[in-house]
Each structure stands twice: as C-alpha cells, then as structure tokens.
Amino acid sequence: MSELIARDKAYVANTYNRFPVEIVSGKGSEVFDAAGKRYIDMGSGIGVTSFGISDDAWKQAVTAQLDRVQHMSNLYYTEPCVRLAELLCERTGMKKVFFGNSGAEANECAIKVARKYAAEKKGPEYSTIITLVNSFHGRTLTTLAATGQEHYHELFQPLTPGFVHAPAEDIEALEALVREHRVAGILLECVQGEGGVIALSKEYLQAVEAIAKREDILLMIDEVQTGNGRTGELYAYMNYGISPDVVTTAKGIGGGLPLGAALLGEKAEAVLGFGDHGSTFGGNPVACAGAVSILSRMDDAFLADVREKSRFVFDSLKNAEGVESVSGLGLMVGIKTKKPAAEVLKTCMENGVLCLTAKDKVRLLPALNIPMEILAEAVEIIKRACV
Ligand SMILES: *Cc1c(COP(=O)(O)O)cnc(C)c1O
C-alpha cells in the first residue's frame, strides 16, 4: 500500500486528498481493500454506482454491448443512445436529450441552450445566468463561474462572465437580480449537495418557477447528484411540483461509466441545431446500454423502497447522541455532528464504513439498492462514531 501511495504521489496530479485505502473489489454495497478488510460503501463513488459495485444486470448490459460495438462517432446511429433518450423523455415528459460525459458538460450544454434561447428571443445581451449562493455546478471554467462558492474561483480568474448568484430561499433577492440583469436562465440544485446537503423548500422553488415563466427565462435544474432515484423520485424536481425547461444529470445515471445528459423541455428542445454543440464520446453505446439497465429498473416500487430506506436513516439518526441535525432528501443525507465530520469519517472507516463529507457535514449517498440489513449495520456504526 505505501508503495502504491508513493507511485500515486509521483505520477498522479495532486488534486485529491485520498484516504490511505486501496479498494480492490466489491459486490453491491460491500467493498474490500487490498488487505481483505470489508467496508460498507455509503458513498457509492459520490452517488454514481446506483445499483452498487459490479451489479449483475448492469454488467450484463454493458458487456453485451461491448461484444457488439464499443464506440462509433455521432455521425452514425446506435441503438442504446436512442433507447436511453427515449426512456428519459418517457419518464420525465422532456422532449429531447443531449448526451455528454459528465455533470459539468451537461451543465455547459444547459447554459449554451439558455443563452441561445434568450439571444434569439430577446437579443444577445440577455446572457446572464442566475445561480444560487453555495451551489456546485462543476469544475470547468464556465461551470465554476456558475458555482456560487468564492473559494473555488479565487485562483482561476478570469472565469466565464455572465453569472450572478442569489442567496437560496430569498425570492426578493432573485427578483432584484432579474430586474438588474438581462437574464437568460436560472440554474439550481433542488438539494444542494456539495454545499452541505440542503434541500430547498417547495415554496421557494415554485416561486422561482413562476418568475422564470413570467420573464420567459429558462429554469434549469441541476440533477447531477439529485437525479436518477437519489431523492426517492426519479428526479428531485418531481418532489416539488415544478416543470423545469432543462434538467441536467450525470453521476448515478451511468451506474459507474461516464455519462452526462441535458434533458430539454418544450421551450428548449429546438434551440440547438446542427453544429451548435457536440461531443466525441457523448452517447457512447456502452455507457448508454448500462444507463438503460439502470433507469429501466427504477420503477415505482423501487422508488418507494428508496423512500422507505430514507425514512429509516432519518429516523435512526435525527435524535442520536452526538448528532445535531440531519438534512437532505431520500438517500442523500447530511449529518451535522457534534464532533468534526473528519473525525467521524475516520472512526467509521476504522470500523468498516465509508462515508463522505459535504462542507462541515458527514454525507451519505449509499447505493439505492443497499440491502436493509447492511444499511442498518452501517447506520449503527455511524451512530457509534458520532458519540
Ligand atoms: C458532481 C456535480 C457536478 C459535476 O459533475 P462532474 O461529473 O464531476 O463534472 C455538477 N453539479 C452537481 C450538482 C454535482 O453534484
């Protein structure tokens, strides 16, 4: 292990503060390190492995496609990409899908759509995108500009211009920005993930939607983390009774392979034309075949099960010793602990549970199909680590 760490330090860019653990195998919500120690995975690769590690049906779909064709350019038709777009539209009522390879790329597409929509309807000066303070939208220079957290911006100026940030839950502040700027769109997460697992209120999101409709600016929901069953509905916006114009997603949709998507509603579907946007890998048939397997198993019974597991986690933790509060939605959980989150994480790891953090909270994003008894075992270990 120390040898692997030394090689990583020598050759891999120094952007991650990794834990000194090498994961070599796993199944479902259990993973094993090089020494054979078992961990319960409560992070699922930051909400990516929706059905856990080495999921049989997903693997079958992926390998079957690998046996056919692993990649063609977007100059030709491939079935998995079409099937996935069709499934996404059927399940959401959205009209068209653009595929990329990551959350940041999905958001880049959304931002381009909003700007072109506004430029054609109102003029190119209507280019401002409003996002929220404490949001996270990605690491490219444009999605960093969208991200409403100054500390990500500092060393990378100048970022893409045309982004302003409104404090969440303050509808007057949003109205003021709409008055002061020529706005193309509003981009936000229903549950701020990296920002501390904070679910927005229904009243606020419905008020935001009303402003977007009134002003004819695109309402774009970043479902990169909240999407694909994570909150107990297929997409988080479905908990809020709103109809966004654009939905972006990535992380959990691919089940472990890189895949991002921008779902375009009625207002947005015809905005992009030939040559306006593209991606070499976007819509890759292997990634899409895996995603079709993931998405087609997320039926009503599956989502009800996610909500039931969510209730169990919230009920078990909310009054537990050493826990100040529990936030989030579905199986996207933030735990404000009395001890520093890093300390709780370390104890959990020693005791065989892998968790994440978000700001000053312990964050849980388990696989959505985590068996109840393994979930209960993990929650018990987390509770003990909080004391
Ligand atoms: C992770 C995340 C992103 C960025 O996704 P990448 O795939 O890392 O580019 C964007 N938005 C939200 C809400 C995220 O959680």
Side-chain angles (χ1 to χ4, degrees):
M1 186 61 209
S2 58
E3 191 246 7
L4 184 69
I5 293 173
R7 280 163 57 213
D8 183 285
K9 295 249 179 287
Y11 296 113
V12 179
N14 203 14
T15 56
Y16 305 106
N17 189 13
R18 300 190 207 277
F19 296 103
V21 176
E22 183 197 359
I23 299 300
V24 294
S25 66
K27 189 74 195 164
S29 288
E30 295 169 289
V31 294
F32 299 90
D33 71 11
K37 178 174 171 178
R38 167 191 181 260
Y39 300 87
I40 299 174
D41 179 12
M42 293 296 282
S44 66
I46 318 189
V48 166
T49 49
S50 307
F51 283 80
I53 302 291
S54 192
D55 169 61
D56 288 326
W58 175 82
K59 238 174 15 182
Q60 211 280 326
V62 164
T63 53
Q65 183 58 39
L66 272 174
D67 281 337
R68 293 188 196 108
V69 54
Q70 84 276 32
H71 174 81
M72 285 299 291
S73 75
N74 278 309
L75 296 174
Y76 309 98
Y77 295 95
T78 51
E79 206 272 342
C81 156
V82 177
R83 179 65 196 129
L84 180 59
E86 190 177 39
L87 252 181
L88 284 165
C89 291
E90 282 168 7
R91 297 290 299 273
T92 61
M94 303 299 275
K95 301 297 181 194
K96 282 194 169 52
V97 183
F98 176 84
F99 290 113
N101 313 286
S102 67
E105 281 177 83
N107 286 334
E108 291 266 352
C109 175
I111 292 160
K112 284 178 77 170
V113 168
R115 286 197 169 156
K116 190 175 174 203
Y117 177 82
E120 287 179 340
K121 275 216 142 173
K122 301 180 184 169
E125 66 278 19
Y126 282 80
S127 62
T128 301
I129 308 287
I130 302 175
T131 69
L132 297 186
V133 173
N134 200 42
S135 58
F136 184 84
H137 298 294
R139 303 282 196 163
T140 63
L141 287 169
T142 296
T143 56
L144 266 189
T147 293
Q149 301 189 53
E150 283 304 319
H151 68 99
Y152 285 111
H153 295 177
E154 277 156 19
L155 300 170
F156 304 104
Q157 300 294 331
L159 303 177
T160 306
F163 290 85
V164 294
H165 312 294
E169 303 294 346
D170 183 344
I171 207 70
E172 279 314 311
L174 185 72
E175 288 279 20
L177 289 177
V178 169
R179 275 195 305 274
E180 288 158 19
H181 298 270
R182 293 181 176 176
V183 176
I186 302 171
L187 172 67
L188 53 79
E189 306 152 89
C190 294
V191 185
Q192 295 188 325
E194 304 304 311
V197 202
I198 301 162
L200 299 183
S201 71
K202 200 171 198 165
E203 296 67 36
Y204 177 70
L205 276 181
Q206 293 190 349
V208 173
E209 182 190 40
I211 292 173
K213 286 226 157 63
R214 186 191 74 208
E215 301 289 328
D216 192 15
I217 54 187
L218 296 189
L219 175 59
M220 305 178 283
I221 305 292
D222 180 342
E223 299 254 13
V224 172
Q225 192 165 150
T226 55
N228 314 298
R230 177 57 55 189
T231 67
E233 292 289 347
L234 193 61
Y235 290 95
Y237 77 82
M238 296 169 173
N239 293 290
Y240 288 89
I242 57 171
S243 316
D245 299 303
V246 179
V247 173
T248 60
T249 192
K251 291 197 169 91
I253 192 174
L257 286 174
L259 182 63
L263 283 54
L264 310 172
E266 235 157 65
K267 279 189 179 181
E269 67 165 318
V271 173
L272 296 178
F274 296 133
D276 280 339
H277 202 38
S279 164
T280 300
F281 284 117
N284 171 274
V286 178
C288 286
V292 167
S293 160
I294 296 287
L295 212 63
S296 55
R297 283 181 283 158
M298 290 182 174
D299 57 13
D300 289 344
F302 180 83
L303 295 170
D305 195 50
V306 171
R307 293 194 291 270
E308 192 181 317
K309 285 173 193 161
S310 170
R311 273 191 293 277
F312 167 76
V313 173
F314 277 82
D315 288 349
S316 306
L317 290 170
K318 68 182 180 215
N319 297 317
E321 202 185 331
V323 172
E324 275 179 12
S325 60
V326 187
S327 65
L329 196 61
L331 286 176
M332 184 171 177
V333 182
I335 314 165
K336 180 94 185 69
T337 52
K338 297 212 165 90
K339 283 186 188 171
E343 204 177 301
V344 175
L345 225 67
K346 187 163 174 285
T347 310
C348 284
M349 192 174 296
E350 282 163 8
N351 294 320
V353 174
L354 302 178
C355 303
L356 304 166
T357 56
K359 289 275 175 75
D360 60 346
K361 292 178 183 166
V362 174
R363 174 173 45 156
L364 310 179
L365 296 172
L368 303 180
N369 68 343
I370 183 170
M372 198 54 210
E373 56 285 5
I374 294 184
L375 182 63
E377 189 187 341
V379 165
E380 217 27 66
I381 291 168
I382 294 164
K383 274 166 73 175
R384 281 209 306 274
C386 292
V387 178

